Amino acid sequence: MRGALALADEAARLGEVPVAAIVVHQGEVLGRGFNRKESGDPTAHAEMIAIREAAARIGDWRLHETTLYTTLEPCLMCAGAILQARVGRIVYGAADPKFGAVESLLRVFERPWNHRPQIDGGVLAAESAQRLRAFFAERRKTADNKA
């Protein structure tokens, strides 16, 4: 999770919302990603990028026995990708009351799918949430200065 937090910091330096994800299998990082929506792709969420990279690296869409570490609770789109990729475990930081599809707004993984990942939420949640608060506070300050 610390690696995902470091990637979130990189995203913020590039003007992206500081959300990041890493896919790991037996201690080996298979994929990494941070949000890139501001570059113009609404599907460029951290989880999507990390899952794509991991699948490409192993040459298979099935990511059984992997763990996805993400700094923010996955949204509905990312939850769908997690299901499709058969990610074995999700570890996430901050809850997302607006878009969270794991436990906050929706509970996608409680449905009777043929695959249900293990879920560990709230890991380093305060650190994840602090990055988001700081990013948006700075963005609001910048917008106020332009007005």
Side-chain angles (χ1 to χ4, degrees):
M1 189 58 130
R2 297 252 177 235
L5 288 168
L7 275 177
D9 292 338
E10 185 178 337
R13 282 190 295 276
L14 296 173
E16 295 284 349
V17 176
V19 176
I22 297 177
V23 176
V24 176
H25 181 256
Q26 296 178 348
E28 179 185 359
V29 175
L30 300 178
R32 319 177 141 81
F34 56 78
N35 272 17
R36 295 190 175 266
K37 280 177 56 175
E38 297 303 318
S39 64
D41 181 355
T43 68
H45 288 203
E47 299 91 337
M48 301 291 284
I49 295 166
I51 288 169
R52 279 188 206 116
E53 187 176 296
R57 180 156 182 197
I58 66 169
D60 192 351
W61 60 268
R62 294 170 195 87
L63 299 178
H64 294 293
E65 300 178 16
T66 61
T67 299
L68 173 75
Y69 295 91
T70 182
T71 59
L72 184 65
E73 178 182 1
C75 71
L76 183 58
M77 175 181 66
C78 295
I82 289 164
L83 284 170
Q84 292 295 324
R86 309 299 194 266
V87 171
R89 180 177 173 222
I90 305 162
V91 177
Y92 72 87
D96 185 352
K98 289 185 180 180
F99 295 104
V102 177
E103 297 177 308
S104 294
L105 184 64
L106 301 171
R107 294 177 173 267
V108 169
F109 300 111
E110 291 180 5
R111 306 292 302 161
W113 311 110
N114 64 342
H115 174 74
R116 291 175 72 176
Q118 176 186 339
I119 299 165
D120 296 300
V123 177
L124 299 178
E127 291 182 43
S128 297
Q130 183 279 328
R131 282 164 170 77
L132 289 163
R133 280 192 303 273
F135 177 82
F136 287 111
E138 183 62 31
R139 194 175 255 189
R140 282 189 297 277
K141 188 168 81 175
T142 303
D144 289 345
N145 288 339
K146 289 181 181 178

